[in-house]
């Protein structure tokens, strides 16, 4: 009886093993320790096609999870450390296509990224040491603008570092945070006042303030004695009905924009924008045309203001 029982269990075990498909991607991938290896699969009708697709998929995953790192010149070095470790064909599939696994040792990824991250931190430290004491907002701003692309590069590289790390931890965040905060502080210390007069001024001013916030600059009240820049805008609107479409109401909005250096008392840029919109309701036409004018003006303000502050 005991022998019969053992035989029955052996048969069950044999059936279980025979039912296990060792050709699946999940089975083959599970053989790798994910704490040590980053593994991505690919498939194709030939061994070469499956291998190339596995490598392409690995590169694509890196870009998808750290998109800002795509233009930092580091992906070729990372992919040079990747290799196709296994290629096989699933005999149970009628098409009999091939599978491949691209493998990257996480330690090699760290060794590639860490020197670049440390190099950026070293450059940021050198620039941060140049900040004035006592503080001169405009002098510090010029240094901050030099820091800006380095901070963006550091963030992009760190996104990739975190993605390729098994624990998803950032690289020395305590070292980077002071420089990131310093950049934000120096940009916001440069105060810009906004004065918009005319029709739909509340619509227009929203776009200008948003643009300044995106630049990182501080927005001040008109009466603030510490303001560095004054953005002065006068808006107008012209309403008229369509001659071709009955019930269509047009509104043409325009804005005259002046950018002034409040400390020097000089105007360094002037420009005009004109936009129009047509709807069945005059109020909607005016709002939409003024929104378009605000969008266009904000883009120009950003470009001209940044150029002036960098060379001032």
């Amino acid at each position: 009886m005991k022998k019969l029982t053992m035989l029955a269990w052996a048969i069950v075990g044999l059936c279980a093993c025979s039912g296990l498909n060792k050709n699946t991607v999940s089975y083959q991938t599970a053989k790798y320790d994910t704490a040590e290896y980053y593994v991505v699969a690919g498939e194709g009708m030939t061994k070469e096609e499956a291998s190339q697709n596995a490598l392409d998929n690995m590169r694509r995953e890196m870009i998808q999870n750290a998109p800002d790192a795509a233009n930092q010149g580091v992906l070729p070095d990372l992919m040079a450390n990747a290799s196709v470790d296994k290629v096989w064909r699933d005999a149970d599939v009628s098409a009999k296509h091939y599978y491949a696994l691209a493998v990257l040792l996480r330690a090699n990824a760290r060794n590639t990224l860490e020197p670049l991250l440390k190099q950026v931190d070293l450059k940021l430290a050198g620039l941060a040491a140049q900040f004035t004491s006592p503080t001169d907002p405009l002098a510090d701003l010029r240094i901050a603008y030099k820091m800006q692309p380095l901070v963006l590069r550091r963030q992009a590289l760190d996104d990739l570092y975190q993605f390729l790390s098994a624990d998803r931890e950032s690289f020395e965040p305590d070292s980077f945070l002071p420089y990131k905060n310093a950049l934000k502080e120096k940009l916001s210390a440069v105060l810009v006042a906004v004065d918009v007069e005319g029709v739909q001024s509340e619509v227009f001013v929203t776009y200008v303030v948003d643009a300044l916030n995106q630049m990182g600059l501080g927005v001040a009240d008109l009466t603030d004695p510490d303001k560095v820049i004054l953005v002065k805008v006068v808006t107008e609107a012209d309403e008229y009905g369509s001659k071709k479409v009955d019930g269509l109401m047009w509104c043409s909005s325009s804005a005259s924009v002046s950018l002034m250096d409040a400390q020097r008392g000089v105007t360094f840029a002037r420009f005009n924008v004109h936009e129009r919109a047509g709807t069945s309701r005059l109020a909607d036409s005016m709002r939409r045309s003024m929104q378009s004018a605000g969008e266009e003006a904000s883009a120009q303000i950003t470009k001209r203001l940044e150029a002036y502050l960098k060379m001032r």
Side-chain angles (χ1 to χ4, degrees), residues 230 257-262 264-271 308:
L230 172 61
V257 183
S258 298
L259 303 180
M260 304 171 62
D261 188 321
R264 294 178 174 176
V266 297
T267 299
F268 60 88
R270 281 196 183 93
F271 63 90
Y308 178 75

Side-chain angles (χ1 to χ4, degrees), residues 5 10 31 42-43 65 68 72 107 132 171 183 217 220 223-225 240 248 256 294:
T5 303
K31 292 181 178 181
E43 57 182 283
N65 287 274
D68 293 334
Q72 297 300 325
T132 59
F171 175 75
L183 174 62
L217 302 177
T223 60
D224 194 323
Y240 52 93
L248 181 63
S256 175

Side-chain angles (χ1 to χ4, degrees), residues 25-263:
V25 171
S26 58
Y27 178 86
Q28 296 295 336
T29 303
K31 292 181 178 181
Y32 295 86
D33 182 355
T34 56
E36 292 187 33
Y37 298 96
Y38 169 46
V39 184
V40 179
E43 57 182 283
M45 298 308 296
T46 65
K47 291 181 178 180
E48 294 74 17
E49 183 182 10
S51 298
Q52 187 59 53
N53 285 340
L55 291 168
D56 289 345
N57 289 342
M58 177 176 281
R59 181 185 179 91
R60 189 176 300 112
E61 276 195 6
M62 290 184 193
I63 294 174
Q64 288 175 344
N65 287 274
D68 293 334
N71 299 320
Q72 297 300 325
V74 69
L75 289 179
D77 292 335
L78 287 170
M79 292 306 302
N81 285 283
S83 61
V84 176
D85 196 50
K86 185 175 181 59
V87 183
W88 76 97
R89 185 169 65 178
D90 190 348
D92 295 334
V93 179
S94 59
K96 294 185 178 180
H97 61 299
Y98 289 86
Y99 296 98
L101 295 180
V103 179
L104 174 62
L105 193 63
R106 295 188 189 276
N108 288 342
R110 288 195 300 272
N111 292 337
T112 300
L113 291 168
E114 284 184 2
L116 298 176
L117 288 160
K118 290 179 180 179
Q119 183 182 59
V120 176
D121 283 348
L122 190 61
K123 290 180 179 179
L124 287 171
L127 288 171
Q130 298 177 32
F131 285 133
T132 59
S133 181
T135 301
D136 181 341
L138 286 172
D140 286 349
L141 181 66
R142 285 192 291 273
I143 299 169
Y145 275 134
K146 293 178 181 178
M147 293 177 68
Q148 204 167 43
L150 292 172
V151 168
L152 294 177
R153 175 171 170 78
R154 176 60 156 79
Q155 290 175 329
L157 291 174
D158 193 48
D159 286 344
L160 195 53
Y161 180 89
Q162 290 181 59
F163 173 67
L164 293 174
S165 298
D167 56 10
R168 293 294 194 266
E169 291 293 325
S170 179
F171 175 75
E172 298 183 1
D174 292 340
S175 298
F176 176 51
L177 188 60
Y179 308 129
K180 187 177 179 180
N181 289 340
L183 174 62
K184 184 178 180 180
E185 176 190 334
K186 298 304 180 181
L187 288 170
S188 62
V190 178
L191 301 179
V192 182
V194 182
D195 182 17
V196 181
E197 298 178 354
V199 296
Q200 294 282 310
S201 59
E202 67 282 358
V203 173
F204 195 96
V205 74
T206 299
Y207 286 89
V208 178
V209 171
D210 283 348
L212 295 173
N213 287 334
Q214 288 179 27
M215 290 179 70
L217 302 177
V219 179
D221 187 81
L222 284 171
T223 60
D224 194 323
D226 295 325
K227 62 180 178 291
V228 176
I229 302 294
L230 172 61
V231 179
K232 189 167 180 59
V233 183
V234 178
T235 61
E236 296 180 350
D238 185 20
E239 309 155 2
Y240 52 93
S242 174
K243 295 180 180 179
K244 296 182 179 180
V245 180
D246 187 37
L248 181 63
M249 301 300 297
W250 285 100
C251 182
S252 177
S253 293
S254 63
S256 175
V257 183
S258 298
L259 303 180
M260 304 171 62
D261 188 321
Q263 295 182 341

